[in-house]
Amino acid sequence: MVTFFFDDKVNLSVLHQYLNDSVDIQGFWNYVPLVYCIKSPLNATELTHKLTPFFAAGFVVAEINPQNLDGRLPAGQTAWQWFYQPPTPKHTLLGGLGSLLEVYPSTKK
């Protein structure tokens, strides 16, 4: 999971493109604004290194344990299934990004 501080230096469109194009990212989920759940073979330190150029103000990378996971998600069962499925090429669920780009249109560069 990656979550971050949002400021005018964060370009969500470029981040989204990296997550879609990088061979290090097997899929990602973004139904909660500023929270990305990412499937990657990289560990937290390696992923932090790759993501550092995207965030000036700071961010957190944490491993999610699917055996100890719960909550309420806007996509319901579809979102929960994503956590338990093995990674497939660019199996991505979006929700938070699109709405955030509308809230912060100045991030479109």
Side-chain angles (χ1 to χ4, degrees):
M1 178 199 71
V2 176
T3 187
F4 52 93
F5 296 102
F6 185 81
D7 63 19
D8 62 350
K9 295 177 184 161
V10 175
N11 186 327
L12 291 176
S13 296
V14 172
L15 173 63
H16 185 256
Q17 183 169 351
Y18 168 77
L19 294 174
N20 272 316
D21 295 345
S22 174
V23 296
D24 296 324
I25 308 301
Q26 298 168 324
F28 67 96
W29 175 97
N30 175 238
Y31 272 105
V32 178
L34 306 182
V35 175
Y36 286 76
C37 295
I38 297 172
K39 290 185 180 182
S40 174
L42 303 179
N43 65 35
T45 301
E46 294 165 331
L47 196 54
T48 295
H49 179 73
K50 298 279 186 164
L51 294 173
T52 295
F54 296 99
F55 307 110
F59 65 102
V60 174
V61 175
E63 182 176 359
I64 293 176
N65 176 355
Q67 303 308 313
N68 191 23
L69 183 64
D70 201 355
R72 292 182 54 165
L73 298 174
Q77 190 62 26
T78 302
W80 286 113
Q81 289 171 349
W82 184 87
F83 285 98
Y84 300 105
Q85 293 173 344
T88 57
K90 297 303 176 188
H91 183 200
T92 303
L93 288 176
L94 292 173
L97 178 67
S99 59
L100 200 58
L101 287 175
E102 292 172 16
V103 173
Y104 299 101
S106 63
T107 63
K108 295 180 185 178
K109 296 180 182 175

